[in-house]
Amino acid sequence: TSGEDLTLSIDADTQSALYGFIESTASDRGFSGGAGVIMNVIDGDILALASFPEYSSAVLSEGVDSGLIASYQRDKRKPFLNRVVSGLYTPGSIVKPFVAIGALNEKVITPDKKILSTGSISIPNPYFPEIKSVFTDWKAHGWVDIRDALAVSSNVYFYEISGGYKDQKGIGISNIEKYSKLFGLGEITGVDLFGEVKGVIPNPDWKMKNFNGEPWRLGDTYNTAIGQYGFQVTPIQMVRAIAALANNGKLVVPHISQNKNTSYVQIKDIDEINFNIVKEGMRQAVLAGTAKGLNIPQVNIAAKTGTAELGISKARVNSWITGYFPYENPRYAFTVVMEKGPRENTIGGLYVMRQLFEWMTLNRPEYLNSDWSDINI
């Protein structure tokens, strides 16, 4: 409203630090861009929101530096795009916690049942039955239960609990879509920023429309379960989904205005024990799995990494990290995506958050404190 003060939830210094770490990682490691967001899991306050590259609003307002303005318009990296709310990305393995919740809740798997990953599974090719279609893991993990599978990000485990394999039942594509949407994936979050987009959760109707009437196949279910195929999400959706996991099912509406009242939807009919099992797997990922770069003494973190392959050649990837902290008493959820980097690069989203946590240790230690109780809904 014109004339009224607007107080933001943003911590400008934290946001500036996050932007700087995204910018330097993109420049040093060959990513075309990146985005990051940190949100309070209780009330939806956004602590920091960064999109790289960006433009100077002052330059545009003044209209003097025509050369710089023209460079913004020519920049193929899209500096006018707020990647946090308007950037659609293939998520990769960061969707696995929600597939895991679905499998536990639908009782197709028990927490302690182990599945063997020898590095791949194969099924008959629908066009040439004598030829096998092979679905690979990123390595052979051996026997893993659901906590292990989240910690090491076993593709084979999630193929089997999603689409089924031999005597292991799967939840099927309809339940993958159901549980993804329960946590707000592929849906508008309602954040008080311009330009939010929905995203895509692949399903048989989507494939029919986009692939000339082709039917849905088991391999499509496998690939959707690991966040590939046509899966598309925004960083704001992911941070909201992880926050709902951290707070046991409160799907809050994110906002940057502190004048907003807290609003949320309670996700129903999911047992609390299932939330806890998945959270234990994400904590295990930090202690000894794919996210162990975030195993720092200052705060206990739970996280999930993702490396989403892009294009037919799969030469470039999106590098994701998402999670929450402190683990014992969750207060903040975070999501970072580094966009279209070289496949062989191993430095990405996790490195951005590692640097930010080290910065917080010195500059914002209060955010890392697990003893807090100032907000309740």
Side-chain angles (χ1 to χ4, degrees):
T1 302
S2 179
E4 291 189 4
D5 290 339
L6 177 63
T7 303
L8 301 185
S9 59
I10 299 293
D11 179 326
D13 289 342
T14 301
Q15 178 161 294
S16 180
L18 177 59
Y19 181 87
F21 296 134
I22 291 172
E23 179 183 28
S24 61
T25 302
S27 300
D28 294 345
R29 298 292 172 171
F31 291 97
S32 64
V37 56
I38 304 172
M39 186 186 80
N40 192 301
V41 307
I42 303 300
D43 62 8
D45 273 359
I46 294 175
L47 184 70
L49 184 150
S51 176
F52 171 79
E54 67 176 4
Y55 61 94
S56 168
S57 56
V59 168
L60 295 183
S61 298
E62 293 164 0
V64 176
D65 193 339
S66 58
L68 183 54
I69 293 171
S71 74
Y72 290 155
Q73 295 169 334
R74 291 192 304 266
D75 195 334
K76 294 180 180 180
R77 299 175 302 166
K78 301 180 180 179
F80 294 113
L81 179 71
N82 182 343
R83 286 161 160 79
V84 174
V85 299
S86 304
L88 284 173
Y89 297 96
T90 304
S93 293
I94 58 171
V95 304
K96 288 176 180 176
F98 310 106
V99 177
I101 282 270
L104 289 168
N105 215 51
E106 297 297 320
K107 296 180 170 53
V108 302
I109 195 82
T110 60
D112 299 321
K113 181 178 177 181
K114 292 182 180 291
I115 289 174
L116 178 63
S117 167
T118 59
S120 68
I121 59 173
S122 59
I123 58 175
N125 185 297
Y127 302 103
F128 306 99
E130 68 279 7
I131 300 174
K132 297 289 187 180
S133 294
V134 179
F135 297 86
T136 59
D137 216 325
W138 66 277
K139 64 177 289 188
H141 299 288
W143 291 97
V144 292
D145 62 23
I146 199 161
R147 297 176 181 86
D148 300 327
L150 286 166
V152 301
S153 203
S154 169
N155 288 343
V156 162
Y157 185 95
F158 284 92
Y159 295 150
E160 296 196 20
I161 67 169
S162 63
Y165 183 72
K166 295 183 177 178
D167 62 346
Q168 173 59 53
K169 292 182 179 179
I171 58 174
I173 189 58
S174 62
N175 276 316
I176 293 175
E177 182 179 26
K178 170 187 170 182
Y179 284 93
S180 296
K181 286 188 172 181
L182 279 178
F183 284 87
L185 301 184
E187 303 287 340
I188 295 294
T189 69
V191 65
D192 51 348
L193 289 167
F194 174 78
E196 186 178 13
V197 294
K198 284 185 67 173
V200 176
I201 302 171
N203 62 29
D205 290 341
W206 170 86
K207 185 180 182 184
M208 192 83 63
K209 292 174 183 175
N210 288 277
F211 290 87
N212 298 318
E214 284 191 21
W216 189 264
R217 302 192 185 281
L218 177 58
D220 302 329
T221 301
Y222 286 166
N223 286 321
T224 301
I226 63 167
Q228 294 283 164
Y229 202 36
F231 223 135
Q232 297 272 278
V233 299
T234 62
I236 196 71
Q237 287 173 10
M238 284 310 311
V239 81
R240 184 189 190 211
I242 288 295
L245 181 62
N247 67 28
N248 287 0
K250 289 183 174 67
L251 193 62
V252 299
V253 175
H255 53 85
I256 61 169
S257 170
Q258 288 192 332
N259 299 341
K260 293 273 187 178
N261 293 322
T262 299
S263 177
Y264 72 93
V265 174
Q266 180 66 50
I267 300 173
K268 298 179 180 179
D269 302 322
I270 297 180
D271 292 338
E272 185 174 333
I273 190 173
N274 293 335
F275 281 103
N276 292 338
I277 290 164
V278 172
K279 287 190 281 188
E280 288 164 7
M282 291 176 64
R283 176 61 182 155
Q284 193 171 315
V286 173
L287 291 174
T290 59
K292 60 186 176 183
L294 296 184
N295 188 15
I296 60 176
Q298 294 83 7
V299 62
N300 291 335
I301 303 163
K304 183 72 193 76
T305 57
T307 303
E309 299 171 332
L310 307 176
I312 296 173
S313 67
K314 301 178 181 178
R316 301 189 76 81
V317 299
N318 294 335
S319 173
W320 290 88
I321 186 73
T322 189
Y324 62 90
F325 64 96
Y327 174 67
E328 304 84 355
N329 191 14
R331 185 171 192 177
Y332 294 107
F334 61 87
T335 294
V336 170
V337 59
M338 297 303 298
E339 170 189 312
K340 295 180 183 176
R343 180 185 179 89
E344 63 274 11
N345 174 50
T346 58
I347 302 296
L350 187 149
Y351 182 60
V352 170
M353 281 308 301
R354 170 67 184 235
Q355 292 177 97
L356 186 67
F357 281 121
E358 290 173 346
W359 179 90
M360 283 182 169
T361 298
L362 297 175
N363 298 278
R364 292 293 188 275
E366 63 271 23
Y367 295 148
L368 309 181
N369 186 1
S370 63
D371 183 18
W372 66 275
S373 58
D374 56 331
I375 301 171
N376 289 291
I377 61 172

